[in-house]
Amino acid sequence: MKKKNAIIIAVVMLLTAAIIGGIVMLAILGFNLFGRKPDSLFPYDAALSSGYTGTETDYLASQDTPSTRERKCYEDAVASGAFSGTYLEFLQQFSSTGVDDSIAVNEAFTSVVCIESAFSGSYSRGSGIIYSLDKTAGTAYIITNYHVVCSSYGMARSISVYLYGEYGTNPISATFYGGVMDYDIAVLKVTNATAFKETDTNRVYAQAVTVADSDSVTVGERVYALGNPNGEGFSVTGGVVSVLSEYVTVLRADERAQISLPEIRTDAAVNHGNSGGGLFNAEGELVGIVNARAEYADPDKKTIPLYGFGYAIPANLAVSIAQNVIDNDGRAVVARLGITVSVYDSKGIYDEERSKYYVQEKIVVESVTSGSAASGLRRTDTLLSARLVQGGKEKTVELTLRVMLHALLYEVRQGDVLELTYSRDNDIQTLSISFNASNFEAVG
């Protein structure tokens, strides 16, 4: 996308942006934005200061959730003492036969829907995934892209969803429940649908999707895009993860602004109509919501697809937003820290034992709003980790990628405590923030 005339558009529907979704504004990488250079610490350095004694690769692997059945078997074998050696040696010894991914793909289809949205004088076709399902009541929440149900004409006048095998014959009425346009995520609600009820054995079986840890996706692992390409019904395309995390610029659903979205890049074929559908790993687990592909614009303004450049919003972010909408009765209410951040530096670390490349980003504070929730931070502070305390539950996130901060802020609820660990002039410190009503903003 650095070549002249190359642009990113949501061909799978048109969107784009400068993400502000959870307080975080994007900035330019790689040079000194602040007049003085931030310190040299990364999240691993904070772990060492807290007593961690392992290597940097061990530290990164400890944050990782195995995303393929082969790697899960390897990790289990090592943990139980049944195997000692590298991942490659494990594969050479035990993986003598191929694995049939069609089993997982077919099961994943039970969580995918086709979507038709009717506008004033036009319609669009896209895809979605069943996020939550109550089989007794026939109620479901469906995640899709905002641009599937909203356009420059406004919100769709009517929305229909279809289960696998029933496209065009048995529409299920859905309504727009809520979402965040600047992240291109929308939630639909289906109520009292016979097709979703457990007692109706004559209909297609449907189930809620299983969600993977999208922060643990491995470059080169097998993935499948399930959706409604070209509006012609259910279809699957396969490929690999090309890039774990990058930001692309697309046109927002209402076509009034551009937005910048964190994306997983894949070479699985993605076309109009795939928007809102799932990108699944070989286990049939959701790793992303497909929303865009790259196109090349020549001087005559003709657009030509760039093959192998499909994009999906990471599942962790998409699900965090969707759950926020559900918990807040159809509104997205995001926690505001009152800071802007940028990625000042990044580095790659190759783990020979696990045959995986990890990336660590240095997330640096660019500005702080006086009197805001995070007013205790200063410009050039480096964010290292975050600990979210929600009642009796705790969650710690090592901030190795900027997108993790975006997702985390949609998980914060009123009364929660967020502890930010950061470095300032190579000194590691902690800021504790208690969130009250004034620290939140409704977005849509």
Side-chain angles (χ1 to χ4, degrees), residues 205-257:
Y205 178 73
Q207 63 182 355
V209 71
T210 299
V211 182
D213 177 8
S214 58
D215 295 331
S216 298
V217 168
T218 301
V219 172
E221 77 169 90
R222 304 183 304 279
V223 287
Y224 298 90
L226 276 63
N228 181 21
N230 206 35
E232 296 181 354
F234 289 87
S235 180
V236 57
T237 55
V240 299
V241 172
S242 304
V243 178
L244 171 61
S245 180
E246 64 180 311
Y247 283 78
V248 299
T249 298
V250 290
L251 188 63
R252 200 170 65 180
D254 60 6
E255 301 183 18
R256 296 178 181 177

Side-chain angles (χ1 to χ4, degrees), residues 258-340:
Q258 290 188 327
I259 51 177
S260 178
L261 297 177
E263 305 271 8
I264 297 170
R265 189 201 301 176
T266 177
D267 69 345
V270 167
N271 293 285
H272 290 281
N274 270 116
S275 286
L279 185 69
F280 292 84
N281 63 20
E283 292 281 271
E285 301 167 331
L286 184 75
V287 297
I289 300 296
V290 176
N291 74 309
R293 73 175 181 187
E295 291 192 343
Y296 176 82
D298 66 18
D300 296 325
K301 305 300 182 182
K302 297 177 181 178
T303 57
I304 304 169
L306 292 177
Y307 297 105
F309 281 72
Y311 295 94
I313 300 167
N316 288 3
L317 176 60
V319 166
S320 178
I321 292 173
Q323 191 60 55
N324 186 295
V325 169
I326 294 169
D327 289 348
N328 289 290
D329 299 321
R331 295 189 312 153
V333 182
V334 64
R336 295 295 191 188
L337 291 176
I339 62 173
T340 62

Side-chain angles (χ1 to χ4, degrees), residues 110-264:
T110 64
S111 304
V112 178
V113 297
C114 289
I115 297 175
E116 286 189 351
S117 300
F119 298 90
S120 223
S122 67
Y123 69 92
S124 72
R125 291 170 176 167
S127 312
I129 62 100
I130 301 170
Y131 171 61
S132 174
L133 178 60
D134 181 341
K135 292 186 178 182
T136 301
T139 299
Y141 291 102
I142 294 168
I143 299 176
T144 187
N145 287 142
Y146 210 108
H147 71 252
V148 170
V149 294
C150 179
S151 71
S152 59
Y153 297 102
M155 191 59 63
R157 299 171 63 182
S158 66
I159 303 169
S160 297
V161 302
Y162 299 84
L163 297 175
Y164 187 73
E166 301 194 351
Y167 183 59
T169 59
N170 294 298
I172 302 167
S173 178
T175 57
F176 172 76
Y177 191 65
V180 180
M181 189 184 298
D182 279 349
Y183 279 103
D184 198 27
I185 292 295
V187 178
L188 311 182
K189 187 175 183 179
V190 173
T191 304
N192 195 29
T194 301
F196 283 149
K197 290 186 177 181
E198 191 170 30
T199 55
D200 190 355
T201 57
N202 295 320
R203 300 291 296 236
V204 175
Y205 178 73
Q207 63 182 355
V209 71
T210 299
V211 182
D213 177 8
S214 58
D215 295 331
S216 298
V217 168
T218 301
V219 172
E221 77 169 90
R222 304 183 304 279
V223 287
Y224 298 90
L226 276 63
N228 181 21
N230 206 35
E232 296 181 354
F234 289 87
S235 180
V236 57
T237 55
V240 299
V241 172
S242 304
V243 178
L244 171 61
S245 180
E246 64 180 311
Y247 283 78
V248 299
T249 298
V250 290
L251 188 63
R252 200 170 65 180
D254 60 6
E255 301 183 18
R256 296 178 181 177
Q258 290 188 327
I259 51 177
S260 178
L261 297 177
E263 305 271 8
I264 297 170

Side-chain angles (χ1 to χ4, degrees), residues 354-377:
R354 300 169 183 84
S355 301
K356 179 168 180 175
Y357 234 123
Y358 296 97
V359 173
Q360 278 194 82
E361 294 179 341
K362 178 186 285 292
I363 305 169
V364 178
V365 176
E366 183 181 355
S367 67
V368 181
T369 301
S370 177
S372 63
S375 58
L377 295 175

Side-chain angles (χ1 to χ4, degrees), residues 12-74:
V12 220
M13 210 39 227
L14 309 172
L15 54 95
T16 297
I19 272 188
I20 307 176
I23 59 66
V24 191
M25 297 185 67
L26 308 183
I28 302 171
L29 312 183
F31 61 89
N32 193 345
L33 296 168
F34 315 107
R36 67 186 184 91
K37 187 176 180 180
D39 61 40
S40 59
L41 300 188
F42 278 85
Y44 172 64
D45 302 299
L48 290 177
S49 73
S50 299
Y52 185 79
T53 58
T55 66
E56 190 162 16
T57 54
D58 287 339
Y59 162 76
L60 292 170
S62 71
Q63 316 304 319
D64 207 33
T65 304
S67 55
T68 64
R69 61 178 66 89
E70 296 92 341
R71 190 173 292 276
K72 288 176 182 177
C73 288
Y74 167 71

